[in-house]
């Protein structure tokens, strides 16, 4: 809906950088077919990989196999563990919510 408006009234994407950030985010999410609630449910630094993964899962042909999905999740988990180890074990989620992740 928003994307259609901007495409109709601007023939190139250059003016897109002049659009307010919330509108650009909405255009991005609409383009990938991702709901805003999905973006808000993951840490900020994982938003792009999650959005691209959602697009990949819904639009790829043939559909990804279980092994591809397992490799993707393993890569994300490994990357997050490396990031946590580098940062001394602090997590974005723990800073916002002090409840233990694993009990």
């Amino acid at each position: 809906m928003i994307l259609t408006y901007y495409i109709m009234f601007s023939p190139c994407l250059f003016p897109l950088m002049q659009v307010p950030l919330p509108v650009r985010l909405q255009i991005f999410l609409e383009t990938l077919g991702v709901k805003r609630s999905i973006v808000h449910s993951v840490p900020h630094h994982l938003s792009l990989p999650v959005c691209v993964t959602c697009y990949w899962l819904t639009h790829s042909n043939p559909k990804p196999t279980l092994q591809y999905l397992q490799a993707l999740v393993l890569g994300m988990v490994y990357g997050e563990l490396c990031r946590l180890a580098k940062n001394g074990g602090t997590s974005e989620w723990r800073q916002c919510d002090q409840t233990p992740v694993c009990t």
Side-chain angles (χ1 to χ4, degrees):
M1 186 167 28
I2 293 174
L3 179 62
T4 306
Y5 172 80
Y6 280 102
I7 289 175
M8 285 174 50
F9 294 105
S10 64
C12 67
L13 292 178
F14 178 73
L16 192 60
M17 294 307 292
Q18 299 168 354
V19 176
L21 184 60
V23 176
R24 285 187 290 178
L25 177 62
Q26 186 62 36
I27 291 171
F28 175 73
L29 294 176
E30 285 181 12
T31 301
L32 293 180
V34 177
K35 295 181 181 176
R36 189 177 290 266
S37 61
I38 293 174
V39 174
H40 290 303
S41 65
V42 297
H44 179 70
H45 65 280
L46 293 177
S47 296
L48 181 60
V50 168
C51 288
V52 171
T53 301
C54 289
Y55 180 84
W56 177 54
L57 291 173
T58 57
H59 292 88
S60 65
N61 190 13
K63 294 295 180 189
T65 64
L66 179 61
Q67 289 82 11
Y68 286 136
L69 295 175
Q70 289 171 335
L72 181 67
V73 170
L74 182 62
M76 285 186 180
V77 169
Y78 180 74
E80 185 67 9
L81 289 174
C82 290
R83 186 186 73 79
L84 288 174
K86 183 179 177 182
N87 291 340
T90 58
S91 171
E92 258 185 42
W93 288 355
R94 289 207 180 220
Q95 291 171 359
C96 297
D97 182 13
Q98 294 299 322
T99 58
V101 176
C102 299
T103 55

